[in-house]
Amino acid sequence: MSTTASSTDQSGVPEPPGGDAHGRPGGPRRPDGPERAELRRAAFDPDTAPGVSWHWYADGRVQPETDFRHAVDSARAGAGYVWLGLRDPSEQLMDAVGMMFELHELASEDVVEGHQRSKLESFDDNLFMVISTVDYVEHDKLTETSEIVSTGEVMVFLGPWYIITVRKRGRHAMRLLRRDFETDPDEMVMGPWRVLYRVLDLVIDDFAQTAAEMEEDVEEIEAAVFAKDGEHEVERPYQLKRELIEFKRRVFPLQAPLQALQTRRYAAIPEDAHAYFRELADHLQATRESVASLDEVLGTILQAALNRTSVSDNQDMRKISAAVAILAVPTTLGAIYGMNFDNMPELHTKNGYFVVIGIMLVGMAAVAWYFRRRHWL
């Protein structure tokens, strides 16, 4: 295997050898010289590292091998392939794995740092893919503080004789995926690319399931906002909008890597596998369209909720204004007759008090009738 690596950006466009798009020096972190093979053999022991699992596949079967180094050497020599699974690896662990499998240092750094968008990079005959994952969080009732989607990442190193899957956060799905994969000899015999296909298929299915669950939340919010006595709060629609934006950030960037997998030639992926990735791209596109529709609908609902809140505030102000106008009638009359001038003959009439009270009540009733006709009350 050559020590000179070329990488690609997320769209699959090759970069010049010896560096990446940011001018950082390229090339795997591995020593030169005849001692390289021995260092690879001694670099990594999966039996003592936490969060590590592995299997060796050959001839469509799981090989009963317990010596990891022997399995790696056999797969490297052309006898099947190794599937190594890692969970939240440390920098030291990735350095050891990178030395044993001759991984590119930039890809290893991405694994340690995490929080990467979905992307696909090519290094010589090997591929490195970051896949953003989403899992729907069940909740009894949607509130302004509900967590609706939890996110994670699955990172895949794919070579002709190995596949390495790295899970950072997200739900525990790799073990079940491996168990299901090992029940089908026809899949195991296809090679490492089939594992990548199964991982992508699982992630895209989760996307579709999350979109369906979020659609129910959107319908619940819509019913609450547009009901006859609908809610005027905007916190719940806004919270759902934020969660949907986070969901979009996970779903949409995966389209470019899938497009590259179905159209470009890679040494680790046979040409007859392009149809499988094309099918995944079709499923992802359907989910993208569903998410885009939900985004539009939720935007309309949020705007409607804001409008209803504004209308409600205006109605409250009208009621307050009408109440002030009604109370202005007795206040005005009381102020006039409370001046106590000597030359106010009404103050000395026998029924003056009752007349003034009657005028107040009639005036208040007339003002109230007027505002009710104007629908201010």
Side-chain angles (χ1 to χ4, degrees):
M1 183 179 296
S2 172
T3 59
T4 302
S6 62
S7 62
T8 62
D9 60 13
Q10 295 184 16
S11 63
V13 178
E15 297 171 354
D20 66 352
H22 304 286
R24 296 177 294 183
R29 274 188 303 210
R30 57 178 188 260
D32 294 322
E35 71 278 8
R36 181 188 305 168
E38 185 60 31
L39 286 175
R40 284 202 307 264
R41 291 176 59 86
F44 174 56
D45 184 2
D47 296 328
T48 60
V52 178
S53 61
W54 67 275
H55 278 152
W56 174 29
Y57 306 96
D59 301 324
R61 294 183 297 110
V62 180
Q63 300 300 306
E65 178 60 61
T66 58
D67 188 339
F68 178 70
R69 294 181 180 86
H70 178 264
V72 169
D73 291 340
S74 300
R76 192 192 303 270
Y81 59 96
V82 171
W83 180 359
L84 176 65
L86 306 176
R87 184 183 73 251
D88 297 319
S90 63
E91 182 177 1
Q92 293 75 14
L93 178 59
M94 281 308 304
D95 285 341
V97 174
M99 181 177 294
M100 174 167 281
F101 289 86
E102 299 183 338
L103 306 179
H104 198 279
E105 71 167 324
L106 297 181
S108 297
E109 288 176 2
D110 285 344
V111 171
V112 174
E113 294 172 1
H115 302 288
Q116 302 288 323
R117 291 165 59 92
S118 294
K119 64 178 181 178
L120 177 67
E121 295 180 339
S122 175
F123 302 99
D124 290 334
D125 294 338
N126 309 314
L127 295 178
F128 172 65
M129 189 170 188
V130 178
I131 308 168
S132 297
T133 65
V134 168
D135 187 35
Y136 183 80
V137 179
E138 295 290 344
H139 47 269
D140 296 331
K141 184 179 180 181
L142 181 63
T143 66
E144 60 270 17
T145 58
S146 296
E147 183 184 15
I148 302 173
V149 295
S150 64
T151 60
E153 293 168 310
V154 175
M155 305 181 185
V156 180
F157 295 89
L158 178 65
W161 57 272
Y162 69 85
I163 181 163
I164 303 172
T165 56
V166 184
R167 181 176 66 84
K168 296 180 73 68
R169 302 179 308 279
R171 68 186 183 98
H172 305 269
M174 289 297 103
R175 183 174 299 178
L176 295 177
L177 176 62
R178 185 196 296 269
R179 187 181 306 168
D180 183 59
F181 178 77
E182 292 175 354
T183 61
D184 191 344
D186 292 336
E187 281 200 304
M188 288 187 286
V189 79
M190 291 182 182
W193 73 266
R194 186 67 179 185
V195 179
L196 174 61
Y197 167 79
R198 289 295 301 272
V199 171
L200 286 168
D201 186 42
L202 176 65
V203 171
I204 293 173
D205 284 346
D206 286 344
F207 286 168
Q209 179 65 26
T210 301
E213 297 285 358
M214 292 192 73
E215 184 175 0
E216 295 182 5
D217 287 333
V218 170
E219 291 175 354
E220 177 186 339
I221 292 293
E222 184 178 22
V225 170
F226 289 102
K228 183 177 181 180
D229 298 324
E231 304 174 1
H232 299 153
E233 60 176 326
V234 298
E235 289 82 2
R236 290 170 61 193
Y238 179 71
Q239 171 69 7
L240 188 56
K241 180 76 170 178
R242 288 187 59 185
E243 294 290 308
L244 186 61
I245 290 174
E246 181 65 23
F247 185 29
K248 288 177 61 177
R249 289 174 180 169
R250 300 286 166 167
V251 173
F252 280 59
L254 186 57
Q255 187 69 32
L258 278 180
Q259 181 68 23
L261 287 174
Q262 65 175 304
T263 57
R264 302 195 175 211
R265 293 184 177 181
Y266 298 107
I269 298 179
E271 287 194 33
D272 57 1
H274 289 176
Y276 293 93
F277 294 106
R278 184 162 54 248
E279 177 191 25
L280 293 179
D282 292 340
H283 293 169
L284 179 64
Q285 181 61 28
T287 302
R288 282 163 52 96
E289 293 173 357
S290 177
V291 172
S293 298
L294 288 178
D295 192 28
E296 293 179 4
V297 172
L298 192 55
T300 303
I301 293 173
L302 182 59
Q303 186 62 44
L306 290 171
N307 291 339
R308 292 197 66 162
T309 301
S310 178
V311 170
S312 178
D313 292 342
N314 289 338
Q315 291 176 344
D316 291 341
M317 289 302 299
R318 287 181 175 184
K319 292 178 181 179
I320 294 172
S321 300
V324 171
I326 293 172
L327 294 175
V329 174
T331 300
T332 302
L333 291 175
I336 293 175
Y337 285 95
M339 290 185 292
N340 295 322
F341 288 119
D342 289 337
N343 296 323
M344 293 181 68
E346 296 86 353
L347 295 177
H348 304 288
T349 59
K350 181 179 181 180
N351 297 317
Y353 171 78
F354 301 102
V355 171
V356 172
I357 292 296
I359 293 174
M360 288 182 181
L361 294 176
V362 171
M364 293 172 66
V367 174
W369 173 81
Y370 171 77
F371 283 116
R372 183 172 293 275
R373 287 199 60 181
R374 298 291 300 271
H375 302 290
W376 284 38
L377 289 174

